[in-house]
Amino acid sequence: MTVSVARGSLRTLSKGSGNTRRLVIDAAAKVNLTLEVLNKRPDGYHELSTVMHAVDLSDRLVLEDAPVCEVHTSAPGVPTDERNLALRAALALRDAAKVDRGVRIALDKRIPVAAGLGGGSTDAAAVLVGLNRLWDLRWPESALEELAISLGMDVPFFIRGGAAVGTGRGEQLSSLSGSSLGLVLVNPRFQVSTAEIYGRVTPAMYSDGGRAGQVVKALGTHRPDRVAASLYNGLELAARDAYPQIGQMRAALTAAGALGAVMSGSGPTVFGIARSWEQARQIRTRMTRGSWECWAVRTLRGAAIRIRAT
Ligand code: ATP
């Protein structure tokens, strides 16, 4: 059985799920089509304006009823204690819903770690959506999103999926209908800490938030060339000096035929926009000659969290 969790449909998902003991879930990554740092707030956080789009590179999670909450993964660099975002999501929901249940989470990482693609955040969203069903909680999506903010600023986005403009620290969302695009993701096989990149931001890298409106308009035309022309990431300026490979991956993508390329989130993954899905696959083939890891992916206009089977 395949059940997609579209916006506003979490109630229907819970129907008849009282006996569910096991769920298999795909949790999709995201890219930032634009990311602007507007300023630094008195609380030390940066004010952002960003446009995020879910893409079909997904982690796979299996949730099973268990006496306690635990997570298992063989992925290098991913903790299995309470630092793991998937486990933190389970513990936070268990406490907030006041249930006396546990879950065993088997996490198969396919999204590169600390890569600017929201891997940990989508895992957390998958656990919230999955446990809402496994534990038969019937929480509305809005309540899950509220709890999600306490886990990380990108987590609410994954509960909604599709495309959205994020403001504030990125967590105040306004959904968009998005567009079906073929993209190529390139990762240099090293990790970058989000905190480090934000630490490198200077006021000279601030901008006024106007780019989000441009990319929203471009998405509405469904023309990949228009979307490619409006890509922007203010954090790339902060990351490029320390990690010259970011500029090299960007240049390689455009040389291989991408219409435009930019870093996603706090990097180091860079993505390029292709004319079509077919061209995305061709670009990916051209890019895999180096030591970089590459994927041809499609943007997802529907749910980022998909329950595949029970
Ligand atoms: P950010 O959301 O900060 O932009 P990111 O998407 O670039 O992060 P993640 O893959 O979420 O990066 O990893 C960030 C850090 O979180 C990693 O260093 C890792 O140790 C830790 N982490 C905790 N839980 C997870 C998880 N479920 N999957 C991946 N990393 C996790």
Side-chain angles (χ1 to χ4, degrees), residues 12-279:
T12 19
L13 246 188
S14 301
K15 246 192 218 167
S17 59
N19 291 328
T20 306
R21 289 279 171 265
R22 182 177 186 272
L23 293 177
V24 180
I25 307 176
D26 283 345
K30 57 85 184 160
V31 293
N32 299 79
L33 298 172
T34 61
L35 195 163
E36 289 178 83
V37 182
L38 308 187
N39 54 54
K40 196 168 182 178
R41 311 186 326 184
D43 64 8
Y45 287 103
H46 288 92
E47 189 83 19
L48 302 181
S49 168
T50 182
V51 178
M52 292 171 275
H53 213 313
V55 296
D56 67 354
L57 173 66
S58 301
D59 286 344
R60 171 70 53 95
L61 294 92
V62 180
L63 308 189
E64 281 177 292
D65 251 343
V68 295
C69 293
E70 59 192 25
V71 65
H72 300 266
T73 183
S74 56
V78 178
T80 52
D81 57 18
E82 288 187 21
R83 286 169 302 164
N84 189 296
L85 270 176
L87 180 58
R88 278 174 46 203
L91 296 170
L93 187 61
R94 191 193 61 179
D95 288 353
K98 299 185 171 50
V99 291
D100 189 16
R101 311 239 332 228
V103 63
R104 181 184 197 280
I105 304 163
L107 174 58
D108 181 3
K109 289 297 297 180
R110 298 168 186 182
I111 304 169
V113 176
L117 299 172
S121 300
T122 195
D123 295 345
V127 167
L128 294 183
V129 169
L131 289 183
N132 194 38
R133 177 164 180 195
L134 201 67
W135 292 347
D136 206 19
L137 301 177
R138 298 167 195 255
W139 277 30
E141 192 177 276
S142 56
L144 290 182
E145 278 189 21
E146 209 169 301
L147 181 63
I149 294 173
S150 68
L151 297 162
M153 293 305 131
D154 286 346
V155 186
F157 167 74
F158 289 107
I159 288 177
R160 287 195 189 199
V165 179
T167 51
R169 287 169 58 195
E171 84 290 6
Q172 290 162 27
L173 298 174
S174 167
S175 291
L176 302 169
S177 66
S179 188
S180 300
L181 299 166
L183 309 182
V184 183
L185 312 184
V186 189
N187 179 274
R189 297 184 196 264
F190 60 77
Q191 303 183 359
V192 166
S193 134
T194 302
E196 181 206 329
I197 298 303
Y198 277 97
R200 291 180 180 275
V201 171
T202 63
M205 296 166 190
Y206 296 166
S207 53
D208 65 3
R211 310 265 183 167
Q214 289 171 25
V215 84
V216 169
K217 261 195 211 149
L219 283 171
T221 67
H222 299 287
R223 285 185 49 179
D225 57 335
R226 294 271 171 89
V227 178
S230 53
L231 298 175
Y232 179 79
N233 188 342
L235 295 179
E236 193 176 319
L237 302 169
R240 253 188 338 219
D241 286 346
Y243 303 101
Q245 287 210 39
I246 290 167
Q248 292 161 9
M249 292 188 293
R250 200 191 219 263
L253 275 167
T254 43
L259 297 166
V262 75
M263 187 178 87
S264 182
S266 51
T269 306
V270 171
F271 67 95
I273 307 255
R275 275 187 195 83
S276 63
W277 166 241
E278 195 44 49
Q279 198 216 3

